[in-house]
Amino acid sequence: MKKIYLLALCSALSLVVSAGNPDRQGEAGAAQLLMNPWAPSAGLHSLGTSYVTGVEAMRINPAGVSRFAGTQVMLGYANYLQGTDISMQAIGVSSRVGESGGFGFSIMSLDFGDIPITTTEQPEGTGALMNLSFINVGLTYSHQFENKVSVGLTLRGVSESTSDVSSFGVAIDAGVQYVTGVQDAFKFGLSLRNVGSRMAYGGQGLATAADNPDQAADYKLTYAQRAAGFEMPSMLNIGASYDFLTHLENQRVTVVGNFTANSFSRDEVGAGLEYAFREQFLVRAGYRTDLDAPGRSEGTAADESPIYDGISAGASIRVPFAKGDLTRRFSVDYAYRSTRIYGGTHNVGLSLSF
């Protein structure tokens, strides 16, 4: 019956998100929700839907929050598309509550570097810089059942603004994880992400001054322009993983596979491998690609290949506070993801577990 319930839940969630639709590519907004600031999972191209735990689970599959024993605090930084001066900063906290519950809280922001303000009268710049603020805040609850099934839900607020234009929306992530086999070697996960309200920009920056239709009046009127609304980049992730060499005390090899159904772009498939020695030194690598990737458009110079169509790699060093007790540790993480343009994305992170 447990397997039947799990299959029914997976089928129900899979109906919520339509298959990848390249005709709608570029129509979604809030692209910050697709970015991953956490180095360990970024080293696997965010393919860990089935086994991610702790703070990182709030970005990939909230069901994994309750699977982390104890409390975890993480700091993440990413140099996004090296050469663009865009960076990501994030902080997150997750904690096990009771025997089966878990709460998490995370904040992520984007920094776009220095962008000069230009106008039609001053095309070379006014001397001022744009004040851009892209922030999303997430609150997660996860619960683990005795039958090795865990579920989770994240409520996320998304804010994008400049000094005179802003937009705000609310998104929901939901997920489930299931583990089975000897020493829980096989894991299966499913997550539905970024399902939320439509967003639209508004503010004084969209106001336009125009001539008064009353020719007798000697003043202009200010009109508020309506910006077109946009949806969030919803997606469905289905992943599985299997742990090898679990019979050895000091080693573990995990094989990961993941399929992503995107509502506003082509579907993706990926696979990865993680090796752990004493759970203190870990290395990982992944590969992800779009299904039916188009490449360069016919008759144009535009290349429609995905930005992250390629490999990723990363490593982690975990230093326990007490010998043999990895539940209390300090970790340093790094990840690199190759990109079609610019110099790739570099992630670094620090975490404290206790």
Side-chain angles (χ1 to χ4, degrees):
M1 289 300 297
K2 299 175 185 176
K3 296 180 180 179
I4 294 176
Y5 292 148
L6 182 62
L7 180 60
L9 178 60
C10 295
S11 301
L13 289 177
S14 64
L15 294 176
V16 178
V17 177
S18 59
N21 187 354
D23 295 335
R24 303 174 68 189
Q25 189 159 331
E27 294 182 8
Q32 56 174 302
L33 298 178
L34 300 177
M35 301 179 182
N36 185 1
W38 310 118
S41 53
L44 275 173
H45 262 320
S46 304
L47 302 175
T49 306
S50 60
Y51 79 105
V52 65
T53 63
V55 171
E56 294 179 283
M58 289 185 277
R59 176 61 54 171
I60 300 175
N61 187 347
V65 171
S66 61
R67 292 193 177 276
F68 188 88
T71 300
Q72 183 182 40
V73 180
M74 289 192 73
L75 298 175
Y77 174 84
N79 185 355
Y80 179 74
L81 299 179
Q82 186 177 14
T84 63
D85 291 333
I86 300 176
S87 61
M88 293 179 273
Q89 301 84 30
I91 181 172
V93 179
S94 69
S95 181
R96 187 73 175 265
V97 180
E99 297 182 356
S100 56
F103 281 98
F105 177 79
S106 65
I107 301 176
M108 172 187 159
S109 66
L110 291 180
D111 184 354
F112 295 89
D114 296 336
I115 303 177
I117 296 177
T118 61
T119 64
T120 53
E121 293 80 11
Q122 296 175 289
E124 299 299 326
T126 63
L129 299 176
M130 290 193 67
N131 180 20
L132 294 176
S133 176
F134 279 47
I135 299 176
N136 63 80
V137 180
L139 181 63
T140 300
Y141 176 74
S142 175
H143 185 85
Q144 183 175 351
F145 298 94
E146 294 182 358
N147 58 359
K148 299 183 179 181
V149 174
S150 63
V151 296
L153 185 71
T154 296
L155 180 65
R156 196 183 309 277
V158 184
S159 173
E160 300 180 354
S161 65
T162 68
S163 58
D164 54 5
V165 175
S166 63
S167 178
F168 182 81
V170 177
I172 294 177
D173 297 354
V176 60
Q177 286 182 339
Y178 175 71
V179 300
T180 188
V182 179
Q183 297 184 0
D184 295 336
F186 177 77
K187 301 176 179 65
F188 176 83
L190 185 148
S191 66
L192 181 64
R193 294 183 50 208
N194 309 330
V195 178
S197 60
R198 287 178 60 86
M199 298 176 63
Y201 283 96
Q204 187 63 31
L206 296 178
T208 302
D211 293 333
N212 196 317
D214 185 0
Q215 297 180 356
D218 59 352
Y219 57 89
K220 291 186 177 182
L221 296 179
T222 300
Y223 296 91
Q225 299 183 80
R226 291 184 179 180
F230 56 88
E231 297 183 35
M232 297 186 184
S234 55
M235 61 170 62
L236 175 70
N237 289 308
I238 303 174
S241 62
Y242 191 83
D243 298 334
F244 294 92
L245 303 181
T246 53
H247 62 285
L248 300 179
E249 183 179 356
N250 297 328
Q251 299 184 68
R252 171 180 59 84
V253 175
T254 300
V255 178
V256 181
N258 196 83
F259 169 78
T260 301
N262 293 299
S263 293
F264 293 91
S265 60
R266 291 173 174 82
D267 294 340
E268 300 170 340
V269 63
L273 189 71
E274 181 179 74
Y275 170 77
F277 179 71
R278 293 184 177 178
E279 296 298 331
Q280 297 181 28
F281 177 72
L282 299 88
V283 292
R284 54 188 71 90
Y287 181 85
R288 189 182 73 180
T289 185
D290 282 15
L291 297 178
D292 191 26
R296 193 170 296 277
S297 301
E298 296 183 4
T300 70
D303 192 343
E304 298 180 3
S305 301
I307 191 71
Y308 281 122
D309 190 4
I311 63 172
S312 65
S316 298
I317 298 177
R318 298 173 177 173
V319 182
F321 295 148
K323 186 177 181 180
D325 183 12
L326 283 175
T327 60
R328 302 176 60 194
R329 64 177 187 259
F330 174 77
S331 302
V332 180
D333 311 292
Y334 171 78
Y336 170 78
R337 287 169 286 170
S338 64
T339 56
R340 175 172 50 83
I341 55 177
Y342 295 101
T345 296
H346 300 263
N347 289 69
V348 293
L350 301 174
S351 67
L352 179 65
S353 304
F354 53 93

